[in-house]
Amino acid sequence: QVKLQESGPGLVKPSQTLSLTCSVSGGSISSGNYYWSWIRQSAGKGLEWIGRIYSSGRSAYNPSLKSRVILSLDTSKNQFSLKLSSVTAADTAVYYCASLVSGGNFPYWGQGTLVTVSP
Amino acid sequence: QSVLTQPPSMSAAPGQKVTISCSGGSSNIENNYVSWYQQFSGTAPRLLIYENNKRPSGIPDRFSGSKSGTSATLGITGLQTGDEADFYCGAWDNSLSTWVFGGGTKLTVL
């Protein structure tokens, strides 16, 4: 079974770049079985898809965040990463990494990591 | 405001049945698969239903999904207190070019 684990700073200052990494075990991110995705959830709010990246490195982003997001892969470490630039308080959320099946669902999720944007 | 519309809350007694609706449009639910997620407080969502009506291994058959037109429904029978959670529907939106989710339904079993 695929397992995912997020890591990264829990506090980021406004205007800086939020950087998170997702470590994958139980499967290779190069296998092509999944897309690798990031989803966030603000306190008391619903889920917001951020973007996805495939083993080829091809990525796609939520248009509302596209100008600020970069996803990348590190196949040597079996990890993928999120960078979100120019953050504001509105970016404070629990960030989840998840696998995405081409048929259209997210079968595996990390436990989530809270990132707070504050001076 | 979420693209997919769910009732904010529902409640039912143990042993009863509940259906949670998810309303969307032609750009999402009508022409794409719907999936459902259960989220207990403080934990990550878990996949309950995929491709409208399929259950991953390990999900009891008390949970079911259906879709008709621009709406989808999650059904839960034989409610248990352990089913109390937030439930979210999700689908790809062809017009927005993004995954969209419902605002979530908080289920109380009392």
Side-chain angles (χ1 to χ4, degrees):
Chain A
Q1 179 169 338
V2 175
K3 293 190 176 182
L4 301 96
Q5 177 70 58
E6 306 87 351
S7 60
L11 181 64
V12 181
K13 294 185 185 325
S15 80
Q16 294 191 341
T17 295
L18 178 160
S19 296
L20 295 175
T21 295
C22 183
S23 299
V24 180
S25 59
S28 170
I29 63 171
S30 302
S31 68
N33 291 333
Y34 302 105
Y35 293 85
W36 304 101
S37 207
W38 290 92
I39 296 166
R40 69 181 183 179
Q41 185 173 33
S42 305
K45 295 188 179 180
L47 301 164
E48 181 179 30
W49 178 74
I50 298 171
R52 61 154 174 84
I53 188 166
Y54 194 52
S55 55
S56 62
R58 186 173 178 180
S59 56
Y61 304 116
N62 185 324
S64 69
L65 298 169
K66 186 175 182 177
S67 64
R68 299 193 291 130
V69 176
I70 296 176
L71 301 190
S72 60
L73 296 172
D74 187 337
T75 55
S76 66
K77 295 181 179 179
N78 217 35
Q79 296 175 336
F80 61 103
S81 297
L82 162 70
K83 290 188 185 299
L84 179 66
S85 61
S86 305
V87 297
T88 68
D91 295 309
T92 293
V94 175
Y95 286 76
Y96 296 99
C97 58
S99 62
L100 167 61
V101 175
S102 61
N105 60 85
F106 302 90
Y108 301 112
W109 297 65
Q111 65 184 27
T113 187
L114 174 63
V115 178
T116 301
V117 179
S118 179
Chain B
Q1 184 133 359
S2 302
V3 174
L4 304 182
T5 301
Q6 299 180 235
S9 64
M10 298 191 71
S11 63
Q16 291 194 330
K17 174 182 178 179
V18 68
T19 57
I20 299 174
S21 62
C22 175
S23 177
S26 59
S27 62
N28 41 68
I29 290 179
E30 185 168 45
N31 289 291
N32 294 297
Y33 285 128
V34 176
S35 51
W36 288 90
Y37 304 85
Q38 179 184 41
Q39 185 178 34
F40 298 107
S41 180
T43 69
R46 74 161 176 167
L47 180 65
L48 269 186
I49 298 290
Y50 67 100
E51 295 180 3
N52 304 331
N53 56 18
K54 298 177 182 178
R55 283 178 288 105
S57 62
I59 301 299
D61 59 7
R62 300 188 297 109
F63 295 90
S64 64
S66 64
K67 187 180 88 168
S68 178
T70 59
S71 293
T73 301
L74 173 70
I76 312 174
T77 60
L79 276 171
Q80 304 172 2
T81 55
D83 294 332
E84 284 200 344
D86 295 324
F87 293 85
Y88 295 90
C89 56
W92 176 257
D93 191 292
N94 299 328
S95 296
L96 298 175
S97 295
T98 186
W99 282 96
V100 291
F101 295 93
T105 298
K106 183 176 184 62
L107 175 65
T108 301
V109 181
L110 40 67

